[in-house]
Amino acid sequence: MFKSVSRRVFLSFLASSAATTALAAPPAASLRPVARAAGHSKKAAAGPEAIISAAKLGGQVSFAVADARTGARLEVGNAKTGTPPASVAKAVTALYALNVLGPAHRFSTQIVATGSVSGGVVSGDLILVGGGDPTLDTNGLAALVSALKDKGIREVRGAFKVVEGALPYVKTIDSEQPDHVGYSPAVSGVSLNYNRVHFEWKRSGGAYGVTMDARSDRLRPAVYVTKMQIVDRRVPVYTYKDGGSSDNWTVAKAALGNGGARWLPVRKPALYAGDVFQTLARSQGIVLKNPKVVKKAPRGTVLASRQSDDLRKILKDMLRYSTNITAEMVGMSATVKRTGRVPNNLKASAAEMNRWANSTLGTSAMKLVDHSGLGGKSKMTADDMVQALVKAHSSAVLRPILKPIPMRDNKRRVLKNHPITVDAKTGTLNYVSGLAGYMTARDGRVMAFAIFAVDEATRSRISKANRESPQGARSWNGRAKVMQQKLIDRWGLLYGT
């Protein structure tokens, strides 16, 4: 099952026979300790089978490690078996976006006016044009409103429209996730606050006060397109219903306690952004009609524009915080640029990325269904992931934006002076754990590695309602992380020559 390509490590057991010399005779040699031969610690290193068995994960583990410069495989196990990569897929998405869009690419959100603009009056429509920026927040919208005010805009006689057609509309990243989880929101060409709305509740006597807002570090505009109703029940905690022009939620009163807050996903991102923009504009004396969602922007005059950070910065944050919507939006934006057309859906865009990976990175079995790894139907082999990492190593585009992964002791405490340094992308789903990236051994040798673990049988038994935090998943993931570190320790010892 497990294969070491460059060398095989065996444990040596020395047998000794009973001495026949009389007990009274003097010893023939000194009894002081004798220095062990060079390489003893390598011979004593635990094998991958023992490391994986000790983790007690069940299911399947696959791994591969290679010299990052030459691509020579050093050790592999089940390396050509496809498993869900979870958020490790975001590393492939980052390479895709960097290659197609370029590290200096910036997303643009614009305010456009049709008709004439004179004396502070827009005779036609005012249009918020989404440009696929996954990082647009309430502060960014407020800056666009301030730019309108600075231009003296005080009245809009036409409609207020929001354009979302730069990317396809996707109701939820993964339909297998519970409705209320903030990490699986809707996606479209316009996004605000990662398409999440802040729900907060406070108890006063026997009643609750509820707010729904689009808060930032400076602003808390109320949101009207998302509605919440408290219902006297115990379960389910949340329900969602599409209200046409609104997201309609209910929450179980028994689950609220004295107060709390959480971010809920937005299913109508264009209306959400329009709702918040309308409120911010009103605060500056600019009254807009209720927003209407359209696919394409008509020709007009650009009154204000907001540029995102460059793509490299966006991807570095994405890999650090593992933001699913960022991965989906930059991945689909790359597909638009690569093909010259908007993909029909998320799966179609992921299929285009798979084709790109095969032709550009030299992979052979990429079967991703999205750009974030949230969909459990995605499959990736450890060998393909290592191939992608080796291909990217020479250009040094990926490792500088990967997250440093600290090495830890048996009690999971960080070891500050550990001789191995690791920069990698983690991936976690229910009973799925992945880690892939680069490690530098004590002697400076750089290796590319990928480790995937999955217990499909246990995972398949979890109901949709319990997928946010199922019983046992946290401890399973902890054991998987210990296993990953032990494999990395092994590779650093064996192959850091």
Side-chain angles (χ1 to χ4, degrees):
M1 181 183 295
F2 302 108
K3 181 180 179 183
S4 177
V5 177
S6 66
R7 68 190 77 180
R8 175 76 68 169
V9 180
F10 293 97
L11 292 175
S12 298
F13 296 93
L14 302 178
S16 60
S17 58
T20 56
T21 307
L23 291 176
S30 170
L31 296 180
R32 289 176 296 177
V34 177
R36 291 175 175 176
H40 174 83
S41 59
K42 293 187 177 185
K43 293 180 180 180
E49 300 97 332
I51 292 171
I52 292 169
S53 177
K56 298 180 179 179
L57 299 176
Q60 175 179 289
V61 175
S62 60
F63 64 84
V65 60
D67 184 290
R69 183 178 61 84
T70 67
R73 302 307 194 258
L74 304 173
E75 191 165 87
V76 297
N78 296 323
K80 294 187 180 296
T81 301
T83 59
S87 286
V88 171
K90 292 182 175 73
V92 176
T93 298
L95 290 171
Y96 181 48
L98 287 168
N99 179 264
V100 176
L101 298 174
H105 178 81
R106 294 176 185 268
F107 298 95
S108 178
T109 305
Q110 297 181 330
I111 303 297
V112 175
T114 63
S116 64
V117 180
S118 178
V121 177
V122 177
S123 64
D125 299 336
L126 190 75
I127 306 164
L128 171 61
V129 183
D133 181 3
T135 66
L136 181 66
D137 62 4
T138 297
N139 291 346
L141 277 191
L144 288 171
V145 170
S146 295
L148 291 182
K149 183 181 180 182
D150 291 345
K151 287 182 178 293
I153 303 299
R154 55 183 175 79
E155 182 182 352
V156 177
R157 292 180 178 171
F160 171 45
K161 299 177 180 179
V162 183
V163 179
E164 68 172 3
L167 299 175
Y169 171 76
V170 179
K171 184 177 181 180
T172 179
I173 295 173
D174 177 28
S175 60
E176 298 299 314
Q177 300 297 324
D179 287 336
H180 64 275
V181 294
Y183 52 78
S184 187
V187 184
S188 77
V190 62
S191 169
L192 180 66
N193 301 326
Y194 301 105
N195 285 344
R196 299 177 308 162
V197 62
H198 190 263
F199 164 47
E200 186 172 5
W201 63 94
K202 293 181 181 179
R203 186 171 186 169
S204 178
Y208 286 93
V210 172
T211 59
M212 306 290 280
D213 63 60
R215 66 179 54 193
S216 67
D217 59 342
R218 298 190 292 107
L219 302 164
R220 294 188 180 185
V223 173
Y224 302 99
V225 72
T226 303
K227 306 178 186 301
M228 177 62 73
Q229 179 183 4
I230 298 174
V231 178
D232 190 8
R233 65 168 187 259
R234 299 191 66 83
V235 292
V237 176
Y238 292 97
T239 67
Y240 170 79
K241 184 177 180 180
D242 187 337
S245 60
S246 63
D247 285 335
N248 296 340
W249 293 92
T250 72
V251 62
K253 184 176 181 180
L256 295 181
N258 290 325
R262 73 169 293 155
W263 291 92
L264 290 172
V266 166
R267 302 290 178 217
K268 302 182 183 300
L271 281 178
Y272 174 52
D275 180 2
V276 175
F277 188 90
Q278 182 187 39
T279 297
L280 295 171
R282 187 183 301 114
S283 71
Q284 297 294 332
I286 306 170
V287 179
L288 302 175
K289 296 180 175 66
N290 291 337
K292 296 180 180 179
V293 178
V294 296
K295 292 294 183 182
K296 295 183 179 181
R299 293 181 180 179
T301 303
V302 177
L303 300 180
S305 180
R306 177 191 181 274
Q307 299 289 313
S308 72
D309 287 330
D310 63 69
L311 182 63
R312 186 181 183 279
K313 170 67 164 59
I314 291 173
L315 293 175
K316 185 173 184 179
D317 288 345
M318 177 195 76
L319 293 171
R320 179 180 180 184
Y321 299 109
S322 208
T323 44
N324 293 324
I325 190 171
T326 301
E328 305 304 353
M329 292 183 74
V330 299
M332 288 196 291
S333 295
T335 296
V336 171
K337 176 73 177 293
R338 177 173 160 85
T339 64
R341 62 183 184 275
V342 177
N344 291 332
N345 50 47
L346 193 54
K347 186 176 181 179
S349 182
E352 185 63 33
M353 185 172 76
N354 293 336
R355 288 189 285 272
W356 169 86
N358 290 339
S359 64
T360 305
L361 301 179
T363 59
S364 59
M366 287 284 185
K367 295 181 180 179
L368 302 178
V369 300
D370 56 33
H371 297 288
S372 66
L374 185 59
K377 293 180 181 178
S378 283
K379 293 291 185 290
M380 181 189 293
T381 69
D383 190 68
D384 264 356
M385 189 64 226
V386 165
Q387 173 62 31
L389 292 166
V390 169
K391 186 73 173 181
H393 176 65
S394 60
S395 60
V397 296
L398 184 60
R399 186 166 191 176
I401 62 175
L402 288 171
K403 182 180 178 180
I405 305 295
M407 301 297 284
R408 300 174 182 272
D409 64 17
N410 290 334
K411 295 184 178 180
R412 304 298 294 154
R413 296 174 299 196
V414 173
L415 296 169
K416 295 182 179 180
N417 298 313
H418 198 282
I420 299 173
T421 58
V422 178
D423 299 290
K425 182 69 191 81
T426 59
T428 304
L429 294 171
N430 294 326
Y431 292 94
V432 174
S433 182
L435 184 68
Y438 302 97
M439 56 178 286
T440 302
R442 185 194 301 269
D443 66 343
R445 187 182 196 183
V446 180
M447 290 170 264
F449 70 90
I451 309 167
F452 297 127
V454 58
D455 184 347
E456 290 279 17
T458 301
R459 178 177 167 79
S460 66
R461 292 194 293 268
I462 304 170
S463 68
K464 182 175 179 178
N466 292 327
R467 285 176 187 167
E468 186 174 15
S469 53
Q471 184 177 5
R474 185 173 181 178
S475 61
W476 185 94
N477 184 256
R479 297 195 302 276
K481 289 184 181 300
V482 171
M483 176 198 70
Q484 291 161 2
Q485 172 158 322
K486 289 184 179 298
L487 287 172
I488 291 170
D489 272 327
R490 167 185 166 79
W491 298 330
L493 177 64
L494 265 62
Y495 306 117
T497 54

